[in-house]
Amino acid sequence: MINSHSQPHKAYDEFSLVLDPDVYEPLPDDWLIGITDVVNSTTAIRSGRYEDVNYAGASVIAALGNAWGSFDFPFVFRGDGAAFALPPQGMMAATSALRQVASFARADLDLTLRIGLLTVREIRTSGRDVRIARYAASENATYAMFTGGGLKWAEQQIKNGRYLVKPGRYATKPDLTGLSCDWAPFPSRQGEILSLLVEPNDHTSPEVFAALAKRVLAVFDAAPRQSHPLSGDMAIPKDSGRQVDTKGWSEVANSDFRKFDDGLRLTLDCTPEQIDKVEAILVPARARGEINFGLHRQSHALTTCLVPSDRPDSHLHFLDGMGGGYAKAAEMMAAGALADIHHHAR
């Protein structure tokens, strides 16, 4: 069990290891779970505002780390939002940072950010859990992975109006030091940038899901580059008069292109053939009632970069697809779930 002040000690540098349910450690009952998402993000993305949506999603992590004084807490970037866990003494920092970011999103980005906060205890009462493991994307950057179904359940509750944090009326601006989206979009070199979400259904055992996830990852890992969407020679700032610090960019491996967050969340550069192969694995699994999935193909990937104030050498690159990415994949997943309901109702 993780104590009140820490994350799990060991970080796994091989992604397939974090698919093993046994490597996850439960968070203490009194820890806080925060979840945010942009309301109507698909409409904003349709009108070409994907950078604003991503910036609003990542700003929660930046504001929280700067308010808390450390980025050493579990969090996950989800494209149009974020999820995080903090010990109980982070309650004031979390509430204040969430309110500030919601006000900033409305005033500066013209986006409505839904914000919610609850305890792990409240999630466990529902029969779900929150367990975490750490994945080392590189020597300098580790990302938290979540399992137990708790985040998925909490997100649904917050979308239904429970556990909401009411936005403050006179909130000061959030401290977004270190956050930027100054990079031009990255073109796919293999054919497509794929945004893929795969979630287990409630009754699917973790072992069955892990086996399926490993089959999916094997398709992408067959290539030597392991489908990483970013490479050092592609870092082009939007302001082309500005020189890129290639040493800083060498940390581009610190990207969250592969995540486990109560399911697989991937942004990959891959061939159309690889996508077809993966669909051939996922479609029958959905028909068997094991999973639901959504995917979206696009030409470019987007990165929002965070340089944590407490660890300037640890650039974190939050990735999403430029054509709607995770939000579009989630839309497809919701449509699949709806189709299943209608099918069973007949």
Side-chain angles (χ1 to χ4, degrees), residues 50-325:
Y50 36 79
E51 283 186 9
D52 287 346
V53 168
N54 270 204
Y55 195 74
S59 62
V60 171
I61 298 163
L64 196 56
N66 288 327
W68 179 239
S70 161
F71 285 82
D72 192 24
F73 60 91
F75 58 77
V76 62
F77 170 69
R78 296 165 145 195
D80 67 345
F84 62 85
L86 269 187
Q89 58 271 34
M91 182 71 173
M92 280 181 71
T95 308
S96 147
L98 288 173
R99 285 189 172 137
Q100 288 171 358
V101 170
S103 296
F104 158 77
R106 184 170 286 115
D108 290 39
L109 304 173
D110 192 27
L111 292 170
T112 301
L113 196 67
R114 185 169 20 220
I115 52 178
L117 205 55
L118 69 167
T119 63
V120 171
R121 184 180 289 108
E122 286 165 309
I123 290 171
R124 288 205 173 112
T125 305
S126 80
R128 274 65 165 197
D129 200 0
V130 185
R131 299 193 304 279
I132 64 170
R134 281 168 64 220
Y135 167 57
S138 74
E139 279 178 39
N140 291 330
T142 64
Y143 287 93
M145 306 281 144
F146 292 82
T147 192
L151 290 195
K152 187 176 165 184
W153 179 83
E155 181 182 23
Q156 206 45 63
Q157 298 304 306
I158 287 160
K159 283 186 172 173
N160 292 340
R162 295 184 72 198
Y163 306 115
L164 290 176
V165 174
K166 300 246 185 311
R169 278 179 62 197
Y170 305 106
T172 50
K173 285 220 161 189
D175 178 359
L176 300 180
T177 304
L179 188 66
S180 71
C181 50
D182 291 342
W183 304 102
F186 293 83
S188 161
R189 283 152 308 143
Q190 313 235 27
E192 307 265 14
I193 296 288
L194 173 69
S195 301
L196 178 64
L197 297 174
V198 189
E199 287 185 355
N201 286 339
D202 283 348
H203 58 268
T204 304
S205 78
E207 292 72 24
V208 165
F209 186 75
L212 183 80
K214 283 175 185 170
R215 283 178 64 204
V216 167
L217 289 168
V219 172
F220 300 117
D221 285 349
R225 279 196 60 264
Q226 295 197 315
S227 316
H228 198 306
L230 305 184
S231 76
D233 57 350
M234 295 167 60
I236 303 161
K238 286 187 204 150
D239 168 9
S240 51
R242 207 157 51 81
Q243 283 304 300
V244 181
D245 165 13
T246 46
K247 183 188 174 302
W249 192 255
S250 69
E251 297 296 341
V252 80
N254 302 352
S255 88
D256 64 343
F257 75 115
R258 304 201 272 194
K259 290 181 278 207
F260 194 85
D261 155 25
D262 278 343
L264 272 185
R265 189 179 289 269
L266 308 175
T267 299
L268 301 171
D269 187 354
C270 51
T271 64
E273 293 74 26
Q274 284 174 310
I275 302 175
D276 292 344
K277 270 187 194 164
V278 162
E279 279 198 282
I281 294 169
L282 295 176
V283 170
R286 183 168 64 188
R288 291 192 301 270
E290 293 170 359
I291 57 145
N292 194 4
F293 77 94
L295 57 81
H296 185 65
R297 306 164 193 240
Q298 55 245 303
S299 59
H300 289 67
L302 269 185
T303 183
T304 305
C305 180
L306 174 64
V307 184
S309 44
D310 62 329
R311 293 199 311 271
D313 58 340
S314 304
H315 291 221
L316 301 174
H317 296 274
F318 301 134
L319 278 183
D320 200 2
M322 188 181 94

Side-chain angles (χ1 to χ4, degrees), residues 7-15 17-18 23 25 132-145:
Q7 292 201 49
H9 299 301
K10 184 170 170 53
Y12 297 89
D13 60 3
E14 196 177 318
F15 188 76
L17 293 175
V18 298
V23 305
E25 298 177 51
I132 64 170
R134 281 168 64 220
Y135 167 57
S138 74
E139 279 178 39
N140 291 330
T142 64
Y143 287 93
M145 306 281 144

